[in-house]
Amino acid sequence: MKLNLGCGSQVVDGWINVDYSLGARLAKFPLFRSINQKLKLFDLDWNPRIYIHDLSKRFPWLDSSIDVIYSSHTLEHLSKDDGVKFLHECYRVLRQDGMIRIVVPDLRHFVFEYIYGQIVADEFVEKLGVLYGNSGNTFKDLLSPFIQFPHKCMYDNQRLLEIMDLVGFAVNTKDAFESEIDDIHKIELPDRCTNAVIVEGRKK
């Protein structure tokens, strides 16, 4: 069994694709999908096959029942404490020697961009993704707290490795598509690996 946690629009055959976004939940209703195609309330075309679960809560899978966990650009949307709980849940449900791969934006990259003048001071916080975006559509902007998920915590290579080691994983940093996951090319997206921290390893 393989989990794709925080899948967004990346629904991959052979994986349990999990998300809790409002759009994913509403996509379970055919009428909503028709309305969204006309009104474009959600930018993503949410797949009704997505398994709905709040990843800040205890996972519904049994201890040591999962072979592989992949999660891209999801951990940073959880608070610091919820992020640690998320990783502990990953550890719990993975079988012994099971694989985990986490991809998050690299805080160090954005800090360096600012320090070396590639982004100006008043744009720095926007680059971090910690604010609600302004679409220019008043109705959509009113819905921002329900359809947008700003970053709540940021990581760099060193800190994510430290946290995952404390949880109990044996992990190393990786490059995009450098992986022991057989079908990594089906699930990993090139643009999500740019300026990102990629950590992969196994449950000790």
Side-chain angles (χ1 to χ4, degrees):
M1 289 178 64
K2 299 185 289 187
L3 300 180
N4 178 16
L5 301 180
C7 64
S9 62
Q10 189 68 352
V11 175
V12 182
D13 290 339
W15 291 73
I16 300 172
N17 302 279
V18 185
D19 209 287
Y20 195 65
S21 299
L22 179 60
R25 284 177 275 164
L26 292 174
K28 297 292 183 181
F29 304 97
L31 177 60
F32 168 77
R33 295 202 300 274
S34 300
I35 292 172
N36 190 51
Q37 286 177 352
K38 295 178 181 178
L39 300 182
K40 300 294 182 185
L41 297 175
F42 297 92
D43 296 329
L44 294 180
D45 185 16
W46 290 98
N47 192 311
R49 292 187 296 146
I50 291 173
Y51 186 100
I52 303 299
H53 181 70
D54 182 350
L55 293 171
S56 68
K57 310 296 184 185
R58 181 180 172 86
F59 293 176
W61 301 282
L62 298 175
D63 295 3
S64 304
S65 63
I66 303 298
D67 298 292
V68 182
I69 290 176
Y70 181 87
S71 184
S72 177
H73 288 259
T74 297
L75 184 63
E76 72 274 13
H77 294 282
L78 301 173
S79 69
K80 177 182 175 180
D81 290 343
D82 282 343
V84 172
K85 292 176 186 175
F86 170 90
L87 292 173
H88 276 289
E89 281 297 287
C90 290
Y91 187 88
R92 179 182 66 80
V93 301
L94 271 177
R95 64 169 173 77
Q96 194 68 30
D97 209 37
M99 293 180 59
I100 186 168
R101 186 175 176 92
I102 303 287
V103 183
V104 293
D106 185 3
L107 175 61
R108 189 177 296 270
H109 166 79
F110 296 108
V111 171
F112 279 178
E113 275 195 331
Y114 167 65
I115 289 173
Y116 292 108
Q118 296 172 6
I119 53 176
V120 294
D122 57 347
E123 294 178 356
F124 177 64
V125 175
E126 292 179 5
K127 278 281 188 177
L128 295 180
V130 297
L131 305 173
Y132 290 117
N134 187 341
S135 68
N137 181 316
T138 302
F139 181 64
K140 287 183 72 173
D141 289 342
L142 287 172
L143 291 176
S144 290
F146 305 101
I147 62 177
Q148 294 184 31
F149 302 92
H151 298 164
K152 294 182 179 180
C153 192
M154 299 292 287
Y155 302 88
D156 58 18
N157 274 308
Q158 179 181 344
R159 187 57 185 148
L160 187 55
L161 288 171
E162 290 172 349
I163 293 169
M164 294 188 71
D165 178 70
L166 289 170
V167 171
F169 295 107
V171 288
N172 293 290
T173 54
K174 297 286 187 178
D175 292 327
F177 304 104
E178 176 194 4
S179 177
E180 295 183 51
I181 299 172
D182 293 337
D183 53 353
I184 190 65
H185 286 82
K186 289 172 58 178
I187 197 166
E188 192 147 274
L189 299 174
D191 62 322
R192 306 291 266 176
C193 297
T194 303
N195 307 324
V197 173
I198 305 172
V199 169
E200 181 176 298
R202 294 181 180 274
K203 178 178 178 176
K204 296 178 185 177

